Amino acid sequence: MNTMRQKYTRSQVVLEIIAVLIILATAAFLLTRWPLIPEQIPGHYNAAGQVDRWGDRSEILALPAVGSLLYGLLTVISCFPSLWNVPVTITEDNKPGVFSRMKTMLLVLKAEMLAVFGFLAVNTSMAMPLPGWFLPITLAIVFGSVLFSVIDVHRYAKR
């Protein structure tokens, strides 16, 4: 199987579209809101969501830039399944299904990370601390989706 030409499933296409829309929405939000963003914005948050460093508003541009870089990197990585550290033994019979499930996991993580960067950009543009739920919910979603994917791949490989 040529892994570079592995076709996207319908749900994978939807996940890619969601990721691109998040990037575009974040950039559009910051562009339209730029005159309203305070000169000093949160530059860093502690684990409790409190601002522990303030910075110039231009620092907020790092969020969509890093998000776009992350999008590109994960997109390239998704094209090379032979480089992935897959949690099951790959056989010719299970290769397409395992790789498809792992690709879906990468796409879900990509969308989740971009949503996190988007939320941070919006919240930071308003010079507000992060809500107390942000860190635990973000960690639960990210680790939960990885755990779900690993379990799904193991179940599939046992068939």
PDB file of all heavy atoms in Angstrom, residues 65-99:
ATOM      1  N   ALA A  65       0.130  31.589  14.741  1.00  0.00           N
ATOM      2  CA  ALA A  65       1.333  31.155  14.017  1.00  0.00           C
ATOM      3  C   ALA A  65       1.749  29.757  14.462  1.00  0.00           C
ATOM      4  O   ALA A  65       2.016  28.881  13.625  1.00  0.00           O
ATOM      5  CB  ALA A  65       2.476  32.151  14.241  1.00  0.00           C
ATOM      6  N   VAL A  66       1.784  29.520  15.760  1.00  0.00           N
ATOM      7  CA  VAL A  66       2.146  28.196  16.271  1.00  0.00           C
ATOM      8  C   VAL A  66       1.061  27.185  15.884  1.00  0.00           C
ATOM      9  O   VAL A  66       1.370  26.047  15.518  1.00  0.00           O
ATOM     10  CB  VAL A  66       2.383  28.231  17.795  1.00  0.00           C
ATOM     11  CG1 VAL A  66       2.529  26.824  18.365  1.00  0.00           C
ATOM     12  CG2 VAL A  66       3.611  29.065  18.123  1.00  0.00           C
ATOM     13  N   GLY A  67      -0.190  27.582  15.944  1.00  0.00           N
ATOM     14  CA  GLY A  67      -1.275  26.694  15.525  1.00  0.00           C
ATOM     15  C   GLY A  67      -1.143  26.294  14.062  1.00  0.00           C
ATOM     16  O   GLY A  67      -1.324  25.123  13.720  1.00  0.00           O
ATOM     17  N   SER A  68      -0.806  27.236  13.203  1.00  0.00           N
ATOM     18  CA  SER A  68      -0.627  26.931  11.776  1.00  0.00           C
ATOM     19  C   SER A  68       0.575  26.018  11.561  1.00  0.00           C
ATOM     20  O   SER A  68       0.523  25.099  10.740  1.00  0.00           O
ATOM     21  CB  SER A  68      -0.450  28.225  10.976  1.00  0.00           C
ATOM     22  OG  SER A  68      -1.611  29.005  11.068  1.00  0.00           O
ATOM     23  N   LEU A  69       1.650  26.264  12.296  1.00  0.00           N
ATOM     24  CA  LEU A  69       2.824  25.404  12.213  1.00  0.00           C
ATOM     25  C   LEU A  69       2.480  23.985  12.669  1.00  0.00           C
ATOM     26  O   LEU A  69       2.863  22.999  12.029  1.00  0.00           O
ATOM     27  CB  LEU A  69       3.955  25.984  13.060  1.00  0.00           C
ATOM     28  CG  LEU A  69       5.280  25.245  13.027  1.00  0.00           C
ATOM     29  CD1 LEU A  69       5.893  25.306  11.638  1.00  0.00           C
ATOM     30  CD2 LEU A  69       6.237  25.851  14.044  1.00  0.00           C
ATOM     31  N   LEU A  70       1.741  23.888  13.765  1.00  0.00           N
ATOM     32  CA  LEU A  70       1.300  22.592  14.271  1.00  0.00           C
ATOM     33  C   LEU A  70       0.426  21.889  13.234  1.00  0.00           C
ATOM     34  O   LEU A  70       0.574  20.691  12.992  1.00  0.00           O
ATOM     35  CB  LEU A  70       0.532  22.771  15.577  1.00  0.00           C
ATOM     36  CG  LEU A  70      -0.061  21.536  16.223  1.00  0.00           C
ATOM     37  CD1 LEU A  70       1.050  20.648  16.755  1.00  0.00           C
ATOM     38  CD2 LEU A  70      -0.986  21.943  17.360  1.00  0.00           C
ATOM     39  N   TYR A  71      -0.486  22.624  12.621  1.00  0.00           N
ATOM     40  CA  TYR A  71      -1.336  22.058  11.574  1.00  0.00           C
ATOM     41  C   TYR A  71      -0.476  21.473  10.453  1.00  0.00           C
ATOM     42  O   TYR A  71      -0.682  20.339  10.023  1.00  0.00           O
ATOM     43  CB  TYR A  71      -2.289  23.122  11.010  1.00  0.00           C
ATOM     44  CG  TYR A  71      -3.119  22.608   9.871  1.00  0.00           C
ATOM     45  CD1 TYR A  71      -4.320  21.963  10.109  1.00  0.00           C
ATOM     46  CD2 TYR A  71      -2.684  22.736   8.554  1.00  0.00           C
ATOM     47  CE1 TYR A  71      -5.078  21.453   9.060  1.00  0.00           C
ATOM     48  CE2 TYR A  71      -3.432  22.228   7.510  1.00  0.00           C
ATOM     49  CZ  TYR A  71      -4.627  21.596   7.767  1.00  0.00           C
ATOM     50  OH  TYR A  71      -5.369  21.080   6.733  1.00  0.00           O
ATOM     51  N   GLY A  72       0.468  22.247   9.969  1.00  0.00           N
ATOM     52  CA  GLY A  72       1.334  21.780   8.883  1.00  0.00           C
ATOM     53  C   GLY A  72       2.144  20.561   9.271  1.00  0.00           C
ATOM     54  O   GLY A  72       2.234  19.594   8.506  1.00  0.00           O
ATOM     55  N   LEU A  73       2.721  20.591  10.454  1.00  0.00           N
ATOM     56  CA  LEU A  73       3.547  19.478  10.916  1.00  0.00           C
ATOM     57  C   LEU A  73       2.725  18.195  11.053  1.00  0.00           C
ATOM     58  O   LEU A  73       3.135  17.127  10.572  1.00  0.00           O
ATOM     59  CB  LEU A  73       4.202  19.831  12.252  1.00  0.00           C
ATOM     60  CG  LEU A  73       5.124  18.787  12.858  1.00  0.00           C
ATOM     61  CD1 LEU A  73       6.318  18.528  11.953  1.00  0.00           C
ATOM     62  CD2 LEU A  73       5.594  19.241  14.238  1.00  0.00           C
ATOM     63  N   LEU A  74       1.564  18.290  11.682  1.00  0.00           N
ATOM     64  CA  LEU A  74       0.723  17.098  11.840  1.00  0.00           C
ATOM     65  C   LEU A  74       0.172  16.603  10.501  1.00  0.00           C
ATOM     66  O   LEU A  74      -0.025  15.403  10.316  1.00  0.00           O
ATOM     67  CB  LEU A  74      -0.406  17.363  12.832  1.00  0.00           C
ATOM     68  CG  LEU A  74       0.041  17.465  14.289  1.00  0.00           C
ATOM     69  CD1 LEU A  74      -1.119  17.859  15.186  1.00  0.00           C
ATOM     70  CD2 LEU A  74       0.666  16.167  14.763  1.00  0.00           C
ATOM     71  N   THR A  75      -0.043  17.512   9.572  1.00  0.00           N
ATOM     72  CA  THR A  75      -0.495  17.111   8.241  1.00  0.00           C
ATOM     73  C   THR A  75       0.598  16.309   7.538  1.00  0.00           C
ATOM     74  O   THR A  75       0.330  15.263   6.942  1.00  0.00           O
ATOM     75  CB  THR A  75      -0.895  18.342   7.409  1.00  0.00           C
ATOM     76  OG1 THR A  75      -1.980  19.005   8.073  1.00  0.00           O
ATOM     77  CG2 THR A  75      -1.321  17.950   6.003  1.00  0.00           C
ATOM     78  N   VAL A  76       1.832  16.781   7.627  1.00  0.00           N
ATOM     79  CA  VAL A  76       2.951  16.045   7.012  1.00  0.00           C
ATOM     80  C   VAL A  76       3.137  14.696   7.691  1.00  0.00           C
ATOM     81  O   VAL A  76       3.282  13.666   7.021  1.00  0.00           O
ATOM     82  CB  VAL A  76       4.249  16.888   7.066  1.00  0.00           C
ATOM     83  CG1 VAL A  76       5.456  16.051   6.671  1.00  0.00           C
ATOM     84  CG2 VAL A  76       4.129  18.114   6.167  1.00  0.00           C
ATOM     85  N   ILE A  77       3.108  14.684   9.025  1.00  0.00           N
ATOM     86  CA  ILE A  77       3.276  13.432   9.766  1.00  0.00           C
ATOM     87  C   ILE A  77       2.199  12.421   9.383  1.00  0.00           C
ATOM     88  O   ILE A  77       2.467  11.225   9.274  1.00  0.00           O
ATOM     89  CB  ILE A  77       3.284  13.694  11.284  1.00  0.00           C
ATOM     90  CG1 ILE A  77       4.577  14.399  11.684  1.00  0.00           C
ATOM     91  CG2 ILE A  77       3.109  12.405  12.077  1.00  0.00           C
ATOM     92  CD1 ILE A  77       4.587  14.929  13.106  1.00  0.00           C
ATOM     93  N   SER A  78       0.980  12.898   9.153  1.00  0.00           N
ATOM     94  CA  SER A  78      -0.108  11.975   8.817  1.00  0.00           C
ATOM     95  C   SER A  78       0.107  11.299   7.467  1.00  0.00           C
ATOM     96  O   SER A  78      -0.511  10.279   7.180  1.00  0.00           O
ATOM     97  CB  SER A  78      -1.459  12.694   8.855  1.00  0.00           C
ATOM     98  OG  SER A  78      -1.607  13.552   7.743  1.00  0.00           O
ATOM     99  N   CYS A  79       0.997  11.830   6.654  1.00  0.00           N
ATOM    100  CA  CYS A  79       1.283  11.236   5.343  1.00  0.00           C
ATOM    101  C   CYS A  79       2.306  10.106   5.407  1.00  0.00           C
ATOM    102  O   CYS A  79       2.549   9.443   4.406  1.00  0.00           O
ATOM    103  CB  CYS A  79       1.798  12.318   4.392  1.00  0.00           C
ATOM    104  SG  CYS A  79       0.569  13.551   3.962  1.00  0.00           S
ATOM    105  N   PHE A  80       2.912   9.892   6.573  1.00  0.00           N
ATOM    106  CA  PHE A  80       3.970   8.887   6.700  1.00  0.00           C
ATOM    107  C   PHE A  80       3.672   7.905   7.832  1.00  0.00           C
ATOM    108  O   PHE A  80       4.373   7.879   8.842  1.00  0.00           O
ATOM    109  CB  PHE A  80       5.320   9.573   6.923  1.00  0.00           C
ATOM    110  CG  PHE A  80       5.740  10.446   5.786  1.00  0.00           C
ATOM    111  CD1 PHE A  80       5.521  11.812   5.829  1.00  0.00           C
ATOM    112  CD2 PHE A  80       6.321   9.892   4.648  1.00  0.00           C
ATOM    113  CE1 PHE A  80       5.895  12.620   4.773  1.00  0.00           C
ATOM    114  CE2 PHE A  80       6.702  10.698   3.589  1.00  0.00           C
ATOM    115  CZ  PHE A  80       6.488  12.066   3.645  1.00  0.00           C
ATOM    116  N   PRO A  81       2.645   7.068   7.670  1.00  0.00           N
ATOM    117  CA  PRO A  81       2.278   6.135   8.739  1.00  0.00           C
ATOM    118  C   PRO A  81       3.389   5.151   9.099  1.00  0.00           C
ATOM    119  O   PRO A  81       3.418   4.644  10.223  1.00  0.00           O
ATOM    120  CB  PRO A  81       1.040   5.417   8.212  1.00  0.00           C
ATOM    121  CG  PRO A  81       0.888   5.799   6.805  1.00  0.00           C
ATOM    122  CD  PRO A  81       1.742   6.985   6.530  1.00  0.00           C
ATOM    123  N   SER A  82       4.290   4.904   8.178  1.00  0.00           N
ATOM    124  CA  SER A  82       5.375   3.962   8.499  1.00  0.00           C
ATOM    125  C   SER A  82       6.303   4.520   9.577  1.00  0.00           C
ATOM    126  O   SER A  82       7.054   3.764  10.198  1.00  0.00           O
ATOM    127  CB  SER A  82       6.173   3.636   7.239  1.00  0.00           C
ATOM    128  OG  SER A  82       6.760   4.814   6.707  1.00  0.00           O
ATOM    129  N   LEU A  83       6.235   5.810   9.849  1.00  0.00           N
ATOM    130  CA  LEU A  83       7.062   6.422  10.888  1.00  0.00           C
ATOM    131  C   LEU A  83       6.365   6.467  12.251  1.00  0.00           C
ATOM    132  O   LEU A  83       6.992   6.803  13.250  1.00  0.00           O
ATOM    133  CB  LEU A  83       7.451   7.855  10.487  1.00  0.00           C
ATOM    134  CG  LEU A  83       8.234   8.005   9.190  1.00  0.00           C
ATOM    135  CD1 LEU A  83       8.466   9.481   8.880  1.00  0.00           C
ATOM    136  CD2 LEU A  83       9.546   7.248   9.257  1.00  0.00           C
ATOM    137  N   TRP A  84       5.074   6.140  12.286  1.00  0.00           N
ATOM    138  CA  TRP A  84       4.317   6.231  13.529  1.00  0.00           C
ATOM    139  C   TRP A  84       4.703   5.112  14.480  1.00  0.00           C
ATOM    140  O   TRP A  84       5.005   4.000  14.061  1.00  0.00           O
ATOM    141  CB  TRP A  84       2.817   6.154  13.274  1.00  0.00           C
ATOM    142  CG  TRP A  84       2.267   7.173  12.335  1.00  0.00           C
ATOM    143  CD1 TRP A  84       2.859   8.337  11.928  1.00  0.00           C
ATOM    144  CD2 TRP A  84       1.010   7.114  11.663  1.00  0.00           C
ATOM    145  NE1 TRP A  84       2.044   9.001  11.052  1.00  0.00           N
ATOM    146  CE2 TRP A  84       0.908   8.277  10.875  1.00  0.00           C
ATOM    147  CE3 TRP A  84      -0.019   6.201  11.650  1.00  0.00           C
ATOM    148  CZ2 TRP A  84      -0.202   8.545  10.087  1.00  0.00           C
ATOM    149  CZ3 TRP A  84      -1.120   6.462  10.877  1.00  0.00           C
ATOM    150  CH2 TRP A  84      -1.216   7.624  10.107  1.00  0.00           C
ATOM    151  N   ASN A  85       4.602   5.405  15.760  1.00  0.00           N
ATOM    152  CA  ASN A  85       4.794   4.391  16.796  1.00  0.00           C
ATOM    153  C   ASN A  85       3.408   3.843  17.125  1.00  0.00           C
ATOM    154  O   ASN A  85       2.693   4.396  17.952  1.00  0.00           O
ATOM    155  CB  ASN A  85       5.463   5.007  18.026  1.00  0.00           C
ATOM    156  CG  ASN A  85       5.806   3.980  19.063  1.00  0.00           C
ATOM    157  OD1 ASN A  85       5.692   2.781  18.828  1.00  0.00           O
ATOM    158  ND2 ASN A  85       6.215   4.442  20.225  1.00  0.00           N
ATOM    159  N   VAL A  86       3.035   2.782  16.439  1.00  0.00           N
ATOM    160  CA  VAL A  86       1.695   2.211  16.553  1.00  0.00           C
ATOM    161  C   VAL A  86       1.684   1.193  17.692  1.00  0.00           C
ATOM    162  O   VAL A  86       2.606   0.396  17.816  1.00  0.00           O
ATOM    163  CB  VAL A  86       1.286   1.557  15.212  1.00  0.00           C
ATOM    164  CG1 VAL A  86      -0.094   0.958  15.292  1.00  0.00           C
ATOM    165  CG2 VAL A  86       1.366   2.572  14.088  1.00  0.00           C
ATOM    166  N   PRO A  87       0.624   1.203  18.537  1.00  0.00           N
ATOM    167  CA  PRO A  87       0.609   0.347  19.731  1.00  0.00           C
ATOM    168  C   PRO A  87       0.255  -1.118  19.492  1.00  0.00           C
ATOM    169  O   PRO A  87      -0.021  -1.841  20.434  1.00  0.00           O
ATOM    170  CB  PRO A  87      -0.449   1.014  20.611  1.00  0.00           C
ATOM    171  CG  PRO A  87      -1.404   1.627  19.652  1.00  0.00           C
ATOM    172  CD  PRO A  87      -0.546   2.087  18.497  1.00  0.00           C
ATOM    173  N   VAL A  88       0.233  -1.557  18.232  1.00  0.00           N
ATOM    174  CA  VAL A  88      -0.064  -2.959  17.917  1.00  0.00           C
ATOM    175  C   VAL A  88       0.899  -3.429  16.833  1.00  0.00           C
ATOM    176  O   VAL A  88       1.535  -2.629  16.152  1.00  0.00           O
ATOM    177  CB  VAL A  88      -1.528  -3.148  17.431  1.00  0.00           C
ATOM    178  CG1 VAL A  88      -2.522  -2.806  18.515  1.00  0.00           C
ATOM    179  CG2 VAL A  88      -1.791  -2.354  16.164  1.00  0.00           C
ATOM    180  N   THR A  89       0.973  -4.742  16.666  1.00  0.00           N
ATOM    181  CA  THR A  89       1.777  -5.303  15.586  1.00  0.00           C
ATOM    182  C   THR A  89       1.038  -5.109  14.273  1.00  0.00           C
ATOM    183  O   THR A  89      -0.145  -5.435  14.161  1.00  0.00           O
ATOM    184  CB  THR A  89       2.039  -6.797  15.838  1.00  0.00           C
ATOM    185  OG1 THR A  89       2.689  -6.936  17.094  1.00  0.00           O
ATOM    186  CG2 THR A  89       2.892  -7.399  14.742  1.00  0.00           C
ATOM    187  N   ILE A  90       1.738  -4.561  13.297  1.00  0.00           N
ATOM    188  CA  ILE A  90       1.131  -4.310  11.990  1.00  0.00           C
ATOM    189  C   ILE A  90       1.319  -5.550  11.111  1.00  0.00           C
ATOM    190  O   ILE A  90       2.420  -6.070  10.976  1.00  0.00           O
ATOM    191  CB  ILE A  90       1.793  -3.091  11.309  1.00  0.00           C
ATOM    192  CG1 ILE A  90       1.641  -1.832  12.164  1.00  0.00           C
ATOM    193  CG2 ILE A  90       1.236  -2.875   9.911  1.00  0.00           C
ATOM    194  CD1 ILE A  90       0.223  -1.381  12.344  1.00  0.00           C
ATOM    195  N   THR A  91       0.206  -5.987  10.528  1.00  0.00           N
ATOM    196  CA  THR A  91       0.231  -7.077   9.553  1.00  0.00           C
ATOM    197  C   THR A  91      -0.343  -6.529   8.248  1.00  0.00           C
ATOM    198  O   THR A  91      -0.938  -5.449   8.224  1.00  0.00           O
ATOM    199  CB  THR A  91      -0.614  -8.268  10.034  1.00  0.00           C
ATOM    200  OG1 THR A  91      -1.995  -7.857  10.082  1.00  0.00           O
ATOM    201  CG2 THR A  91      -0.170  -8.769  11.396  1.00  0.00           C
ATOM    202  N   GLU A  92      -0.176  -7.285   7.184  1.00  0.00           N
ATOM    203  CA  GLU A  92      -0.750  -6.849   5.904  1.00  0.00           C
ATOM    204  C   GLU A  92      -2.282  -6.766   5.995  1.00  0.00           C
ATOM    205  O   GLU A  92      -2.895  -5.931   5.352  1.00  0.00           O
ATOM    206  CB  GLU A  92      -0.327  -7.781   4.766  1.00  0.00           C
ATOM    207  CG  GLU A  92       1.109  -7.576   4.324  1.00  0.00           C
ATOM    208  CD  GLU A  92       1.423  -6.141   3.909  1.00  0.00           C
ATOM    209  OE1 GLU A  92       0.639  -5.535   3.144  1.00  0.00           O
ATOM    210  OE2 GLU A  92       2.454  -5.617   4.370  1.00  0.00           O
ATOM    211  N   ASP A  93      -2.875  -7.651   6.810  1.00  0.00           N
ATOM    212  CA  ASP A  93      -4.338  -7.658   6.946  1.00  0.00           C
ATOM    213  C   ASP A  93      -4.861  -6.458   7.723  1.00  0.00           C
ATOM    214  O   ASP A  93      -5.916  -5.913   7.398  1.00  0.00           O
ATOM    215  CB  ASP A  93      -4.815  -8.939   7.636  1.00  0.00           C
ATOM    216  CG  ASP A  93      -4.653 -10.165   6.756  1.00  0.00           C
ATOM    217  OD1 ASP A  93      -4.605 -10.013   5.515  1.00  0.00           O
ATOM    218  OD2 ASP A  93      -4.587 -11.278   7.310  1.00  0.00           O
ATOM    219  N   ASN A  94      -4.144  -6.053   8.794  1.00  0.00           N
ATOM    220  CA  ASN A  94      -4.684  -4.979   9.632  1.00  0.00           C
ATOM    221  C   ASN A  94      -4.114  -3.600   9.298  1.00  0.00           C
ATOM    222  O   ASN A  94      -4.583  -2.601   9.828  1.00  0.00           O
ATOM    223  CB  ASN A  94      -4.502  -5.298  11.120  1.00  0.00           C
ATOM    224  CG  ASN A  94      -3.067  -5.178  11.611  1.00  0.00           C
ATOM    225  OD1 ASN A  94      -2.175  -4.663  10.950  1.00  0.00           O
ATOM    226  ND2 ASN A  94      -2.844  -5.680  12.818  1.00  0.00           N
ATOM    227  N   LYS A  95      -3.112  -3.549   8.430  1.00  0.00           N
ATOM    228  CA  LYS A  95      -2.446  -2.276   8.131  1.00  0.00           C
ATOM    229  C   LYS A  95      -3.414  -1.163   7.712  1.00  0.00           C
ATOM    230  O   LYS A  95      -3.378  -0.070   8.284  1.00  0.00           O
ATOM    231  CB  LYS A  95      -1.364  -2.469   7.064  1.00  0.00           C
ATOM    232  CG  LYS A  95      -0.570  -1.204   6.802  1.00  0.00           C
ATOM    233  CD  LYS A  95       0.311  -1.295   5.562  1.00  0.00           C
ATOM    234  CE  LYS A  95       1.471  -2.206   5.746  1.00  0.00           C
ATOM    235  NZ  LYS A  95       2.412  -2.154   4.607  1.00  0.00           N
ATOM    236  N   PRO A  96      -4.289  -1.385   6.740  1.00  0.00           N
ATOM    237  CA  PRO A  96      -5.171  -0.272   6.336  1.00  0.00           C
ATOM    238  C   PRO A  96      -6.058   0.238   7.474  1.00  0.00           C
ATOM    239  O   PRO A  96      -6.193   1.448   7.664  1.00  0.00           O
ATOM    240  CB  PRO A  96      -6.017  -0.875   5.204  1.00  0.00           C
ATOM    241  CG  PRO A  96      -5.243  -2.044   4.711  1.00  0.00           C
ATOM    242  CD  PRO A  96      -4.500  -2.571   5.892  1.00  0.00           C
ATOM    243  N   GLY A  97      -6.650  -0.673   8.233  1.00  0.00           N
ATOM    244  CA  GLY A  97      -7.537  -0.261   9.319  1.00  0.00           C
ATOM    245  C   GLY A  97      -6.807   0.403  10.463  1.00  0.00           C
ATOM    246  O   GLY A  97      -7.280   1.399  11.021  1.00  0.00           O
ATOM    247  N   VAL A  98      -5.641  -0.132  10.835  1.00  0.00           N
ATOM    248  CA  VAL A  98      -4.861   0.467  11.922  1.00  0.00           C
ATOM    249  C   VAL A  98      -4.388   1.857  11.516  1.00  0.00           C
ATOM    250  O   VAL A  98      -4.527   2.832  12.274  1.00  0.00           O
ATOM    251  CB  VAL A  98      -3.665  -0.438  12.316  1.00  0.00           C
ATOM    252  CG1 VAL A  98      -2.696   0.293  13.228  1.00  0.00           C
ATOM    253  CG2 VAL A  98      -4.169  -1.711  12.984  1.00  0.00           C
ATOM    254  N   PHE A  99      -3.838   1.966  10.309  1.00  0.00           N
ATOM    255  CA  PHE A  99      -3.340   3.272   9.865  1.00  0.00           C
ATOM    256  C   PHE A  99      -4.473   4.292   9.741  1.00  0.00           C
ATOM    257  O   PHE A  99      -4.310   5.458  10.069  1.00  0.00           O
ATOM    258  CB  PHE A  99      -2.578   3.142   8.551  1.00  0.00           C
ATOM    259  CG  PHE A  99      -1.183   2.593   8.694  1.00  0.00           C
ATOM    260  CD1 PHE A  99      -0.450   2.261   7.580  1.00  0.00           C
ATOM    261  CD2 PHE A  99      -0.591   2.406   9.942  1.00  0.00           C
ATOM    262  CE1 PHE A  99       0.847   1.762   7.699  1.00  0.00           C
ATOM    263  CE2 PHE A  99       0.698   1.910  10.076  1.00  0.00           C
ATOM    264  CZ  PHE A  99       1.422   1.588   8.949  1.00  0.00           C
TER     265      PHE A  99
END
